[in-house]
Amino acid sequence: MQQNNKPIIAPSLLAADFSDLKSELKLCNDSKAEWLHLDIMDQQFVPNLSFGPDIVKSIRPHSNLFFDVHLMVSNPFDMLSAFIDAGADAISFHIETTEPRFTFPPKILINMIKKNNLRCGIAIKPKTSFKVLEKYLSFIDYIVVMSVEPGFGGQGFIPSTIEKISSIDKTLKEKNLRDQIAIQVDGGIKLHNAKEVIDASKPSPSTAAMSFLRGAKSVVFKNNVPLLRSVPSAEKLLPPLAIAGIGK
């Protein structure tokens, strides 16, 4: 498979204008984004309520982007089948909803996602230590590092996330897993801090991706829809990275 060192851009559908979703989706399709990030909120794990599998299913025929479903829900197991059937390409769930109570142990969710030939990720909130994920590293494809508290739009990027990304990157390299596991950074990323986020974890050619996902980083931009309309400005800032923005 072809190596890929560049970051993966994942616009967030949550930030779109839902009164004109078709146009907003076209904006993403026509940009240099490769993924579409789908934030699923249940008003329990997080205070807000977003959208469900019917929306994902309805837009699936209209986009060839890689559909990245991020389950910010209290019971991810009950939602897996619906989003798999809706056309997800990858699903991530929060370790905080599974590890403390083990109603559905993480390995059960991982197995269900993987047996359906989807990529599997585990998300961690800003205050959650990466160490809680270490026992699952050999089973997953990516780690979602929340750089804001999940469930609220418009938050500022938490600066300590940079150190957290670097630490995760270092650990994965020490375990010889960096070419297997991507680092996804979610929240508060804009043009002024995108390069710093990307630089916190740059796989060298020897540890670079074996596919578009593995070893790369998916940077989820929020509150930046205009950047999707002005990709050249992003390219001037980060010439080799072909960054596009996301969100409103």
Side-chain angles (χ1 to χ4, degrees), residues 89-105:
D89 294 300
I91 296 178
S92 61
F93 61 89
H94 272 266
I95 195 67
E96 298 90 355
T97 67
T98 55
E99 182 77 16
R101 62 184 187 181
F102 281 101
T103 302
F104 293 103

Side-chain angles (χ1 to χ4, degrees), residues 1 30 65 85 129 151 159 173 188 198 204 214 221 231 240-241:
M1 288 181 284
D30 293 344
L65 294 174
D85 292 343
S129 170
K173 287 175 179 175
I198 291 163
S204 65
R214 293 176 177 238
F221 287 74
V231 170
L241 301 173

Side-chain angles (χ1 to χ4, degrees), residues 143-193:
I143 299 163
V144 182
V145 180
M146 295 300 299
S147 43
V148 298
E149 288 296 333
F152 295 95
Q155 298 178 68
F157 181 84
I158 298 173
S160 60
T161 307
I162 297 296
E163 183 178 349
K164 192 173 188 178
I165 296 166
S166 296
S167 176
I168 293 171
D169 179 67
K170 180 181 178 182
T171 300
L172 293 177
K173 287 175 179 175
E174 289 172 349
K175 294 179 179 290
N176 294 317
L177 291 172
R178 192 61 185 93
D179 61 342
Q180 299 176 36
I181 298 176
I183 299 172
Q184 181 182 107
V185 187
D186 185 350
I189 303 174
K190 301 182 181 181
L191 275 180
H192 69 84
N193 61 10

Side-chain angles (χ1 to χ4, degrees), residues 24-233:
E24 296 284 75
L25 186 61
K26 185 178 186 299
L27 179 66
C28 295
N29 291 339
D30 293 344
S31 76
K32 294 188 178 182
E34 296 179 43
W35 289 23
L36 186 65
H37 189 72
L38 304 165
D39 290 299
I40 310 303
M41 305 178 186
D42 66 351
Q43 214 171 21
Q44 295 181 49
F45 178 66
V46 295
N48 289 329
L49 186 67
S50 60
F51 52 88
D54 286 348
I55 292 290
V56 177
K57 185 176 183 179
S58 70
I59 65 173
R60 179 72 277 187
H62 304 289
S63 178
N64 290 322
L65 294 174
F66 187 90
F67 275 21
D68 171 35
V69 172
H70 178 190
L71 295 178
M72 290 178 276
V73 301
S74 60
N75 190 347
F77 182 83
D78 284 352
M79 296 193 179
L80 289 182
S81 293
F83 283 100
I84 290 169
D85 292 343
D89 294 300
I91 296 178
S92 61
F93 61 89
H94 272 266
I95 195 67
E96 298 90 355
T97 67
T98 55
E99 182 77 16
R101 62 184 187 181
F102 281 101
T103 302
F104 293 103
K107 195 60 167 52
I108 292 179
L109 280 75
I110 293 168
N111 287 342
M112 186 170 178
I113 295 168
K114 300 288 281 186
K115 78 176 184 181
N116 282 280
N117 297 315
L118 274 67
R119 302 290 189 186
C120 178
I122 300 183
I124 51 175
K125 296 166 72 173
K127 294 180 181 179
T128 300
S129 170
F130 165 66
K131 290 187 179 298
V132 74
L133 300 186
E134 291 196 22
K135 68 185 83 171
Y136 307 111
L137 292 179
S138 60
F139 307 111
I140 63 175
D141 299 292
Y142 61 106
I143 299 163
V144 182
V145 180
M146 295 300 299
S147 43
V148 298
E149 288 296 333
F152 295 95
Q155 298 178 68
F157 181 84
I158 298 173
S160 60
T161 307
I162 297 296
E163 183 178 349
K164 192 173 188 178
I165 296 166
S166 296
S167 176
I168 293 171
D169 179 67
K170 180 181 178 182
T171 300
L172 293 177
K173 287 175 179 175
E174 289 172 349
K175 294 179 179 290
N176 294 317
L177 291 172
R178 192 61 185 93
D179 61 342
Q180 299 176 36
I181 298 176
I183 299 172
Q184 181 182 107
V185 187
D186 185 350
I189 303 174
K190 301 182 181 181
L191 275 180
H192 69 84
N193 61 10
K195 187 176 187 301
E196 185 180 13
V197 172
I198 291 163
D199 285 346
S201 170
K202 271 191 176 177
S204 65
S206 61
T207 60
M210 292 304 294
S211 72
F212 74 95
L213 171 64
R214 293 176 177 238
K217 173 168 31 308
S218 172
V219 181
V220 181
F221 287 74
K222 305 276 188 177
N223 305 314
N224 282 324
V225 155
L227 298 182
L228 282 172
R229 298 185 173 94
S230 59
V231 170
S233 65

